Amino acid sequence: MGKFSLFTLTVTSVSITAGFILLYYKMYDVKRKKNKWRQVGKLTEIVIYPLKAGTGIFIDEAYCIDRGLVEKCNKKFIFGDRYFIAYDEQTGMRISCKNAPFITKICIVPMNDTSVELSAPAFQKFHLELPDISKNKVNCMIYPDIPSETIDCGDEVAIWLSNVLFKKNKGVRLGFFVRDKIKIREDSAGMLKDYKRLYPNIKKQDLGAYSFFASYLLINQSSLDDLNTQLPCDEEKVTSLNFRSNLTITGLKAYEEDNLKLVKIGEKVILKHIKPCTRCLVTTLNPKTAQFSRSSEPLKTLKRYRLLEDIEKNKAENWSPVFGQYFGLYEGGCIKIGDPIYALDY
């Protein structure tokens, strides 16, 4: 090869490399390219579910970390979304709304830096001193085939939970998540491995404490309003609690949240899209009464018009309709009710 050809090849290689670098910064340096952000609405609800499948708590402000929403006020321990999990003593499998609907009436609130209080209608409240994080580490199961570490909270609260849920003195245990002490769930085995093939944005670092697929679940108020107009006239209107979401936003048209890839809340927090949230029987559970809808609403109505377009994904999701979107953390920080919501335009 002559000198001229070699020089031409070198210049071409440098140009291609520079082109890729430029493309990278154009697409991914979202913090620097602030002029690309477009305000699309505002944040109207922040909800944490301290107990997975338990009662949702509306809060005015929160801190966003990789493991989901946490309350700002806590110092010695972090009290956050899905940080507690009830699980079967024998199998380790999580207790869900499907097999124990009354779990949605169990509320956990912080009392001080070392304890929480559990409550449920018609039951005496239970004061729980948080367990020693150096002991009692066990495995539970969020998915049937992937163990999840947790800190077991002891026998006394296990008896209380078993009585509340099944009128028994044993059978249910309570686990507690501790940031940096609990091993991150793997995303390369079992059900998550299958889902990653269809949704490559699923990453183990974005799975949250004991969430299903990601740390944050966002819904659009306009979509909720539209769904309520399509329900049968004699059906009770549904709320965000039917969908157990963390964040509700306004300003977008109905179902425009499907197109969000990167979302900024306020001036700092940035969330990245993971996958659509497909819906199951839990949406038909009335959050006020803990009873399932006999008419299977709103799930029945959603199935009419909110199925995924991709056939393979529909099969994997058991032909379940979409309502809301899962997000992971890109940039953490504080958020509060009323914060502007921005979308990134590419």
Side-chain angles (χ1 to χ4, degrees):
M1 182 180 291
K3 291 183 178 180
F4 178 79
S5 300
L6 181 60
F7 175 77
T8 303
L9 180 59
T10 301
V11 171
T12 302
S13 299
V14 171
S15 299
I16 293 174
T17 302
F20 276 117
I21 292 174
L22 180 60
L23 179 62
Y24 174 86
Y25 276 100
K26 282 185 176 181
M27 292 186 66
Y28 295 107
D29 192 9
V30 297
K31 287 179 284 186
R32 192 174 67 174
K33 302 293 185 180
K34 292 182 179 180
N35 59 316
K36 287 179 175 285
W37 290 106
R38 172 175 57 93
Q39 185 172 347
V40 295
K42 67 178 181 178
L43 180 64
T44 55
E45 285 183 357
I46 305 172
V47 187
I48 64 169
Y49 293 84
L51 173 64
K52 184 173 179 65
T55 298
I57 300 175
F58 290 83
I59 55 179
D60 293 330
E61 57 182 334
Y63 196 81
C64 296
I65 65 172
D66 56 349
R67 292 293 171 265
L69 290 174
V70 298
E71 284 200 297
K72 275 182 61 179
C73 59
N74 294 282
K75 297 178 181 179
K76 291 187 179 179
F77 78 95
I78 295 178
F79 185 76
D81 185 61
R82 277 88 171 182
Y83 269 44
F84 290 87
I85 183 169
Y87 62 96
D88 186 278
E89 184 176 26
Q90 297 297 320
T91 67
M93 193 64 195
R94 62 182 170 83
I95 305 297
S96 75
C97 305
K98 296 177 185 178
N99 57 21
F102 194 70
I103 193 173
T104 58
K105 306 301 288 183
I106 297 177
C107 184
I108 299 181
V109 295
M111 298 301 291
N112 52 49
D113 289 339
T114 61
S115 67
V116 297
E117 183 181 78
L118 288 81
S119 62
F123 287 87
Q124 187 174 356
K125 293 179 180 180
F126 186 90
H127 183 90
L128 173 67
E129 288 292 330
L130 293 174
D132 185 342
I133 62 176
S134 65
K135 302 176 181 178
N136 303 328
K137 187 180 289 187
V138 297
N139 282 333
C140 63
M141 305 277 258
I142 296 177
Y143 319 109
D145 45 12
I146 304 175
S148 300
E149 287 187 348
T150 194
I151 307 295
D152 186 81
C153 291
D155 294 337
E156 291 185 8
V157 71
I159 294 172
W160 186 88
L161 269 178
S162 300
N163 271 286
V164 170
L165 293 178
F166 300 116
K167 295 181 172 59
K168 298 179 180 180
N169 288 327
K170 62 179 182 178
V172 182
R173 307 294 297 186
L174 181 68
F176 175 53
F177 177 86
V178 182
R179 183 71 173 83
D180 297 329
K181 301 296 181 181
I182 297 297
K183 183 181 178 182
I184 298 175
R185 279 174 280 158
E186 293 297 328
D187 60 4
S188 57
M191 187 180 81
L192 280 181
K193 180 181 179 180
D194 295 336
Y195 270 89
K196 279 194 70 171
R197 183 175 58 84
L198 299 172
Y199 302 103
N201 286 345
I202 293 177
K203 307 291 183 184
K204 65 181 183 179
Q205 61 266 28
D206 297 318
L207 290 176
Y210 297 119
S211 303
F212 280 124
F213 291 109
S215 308
Y216 298 88
L217 179 53
L218 179 149
I219 65 170
N220 176 8
Q221 183 64 46
S222 295
S223 302
L224 186 60
D225 294 341
D226 179 76
L227 170 60
N228 278 319
T229 65
Q230 302 201 46
L231 292 177
C233 295
D234 57 346
E235 285 292 331
E236 184 176 351
K237 303 301 183 184
V238 293
T239 71
S240 60
L241 293 177
N242 287 81
F243 300 98
R244 306 189 68 79
S245 55
N246 301 118
L247 306 170
T248 301
I249 64 174
T250 59
L252 294 174
K253 295 179 181 178
Y255 313 111
E256 279 191 323
E257 68 274 18
D258 294 352
N259 302 318
L260 296 175
K261 301 304 178 187
L262 285 164
V263 173
K264 186 164 72 167
I265 305 174
E267 297 306 314
K268 185 176 181 182
V269 172
I270 300 174
L271 303 180
K272 56 185 179 181
H273 184 257
I274 303 296
K275 72 177 292 290
C277 181
T278 52
R279 296 302 182 166
C280 65
L281 189 65
V282 172
T283 60
T284 71
L285 185 64
N286 188 319
K288 299 177 184 177
T289 64
Q291 295 181 342
F292 286 102
S293 165
R294 293 183 178 182
S295 58
S296 297
E297 293 292 1
L299 192 61
K300 183 178 179 181
T301 294
L302 282 171
K303 284 184 175 181
R304 286 196 287 103
Y305 70 105
R306 287 292 292 166
L307 292 178
L308 292 162
E309 296 181 0
D310 187 291
I311 298 298
E312 190 175 7
K313 289 181 179 178
N314 263 321
K315 290 179 179 179
E317 302 279 11
N318 198 28
W319 299 90
S320 301
V322 172
F323 195 89
Q325 300 290 328
Y326 280 116
F327 285 82
L329 188 72
Y330 186 97
E331 180 76 14
C334 296
I335 59 172
K336 61 183 184 300
I337 296 298
D339 274 349
I341 300 292
Y342 303 91
L344 192 66
D345 291 329
Y346 285 126

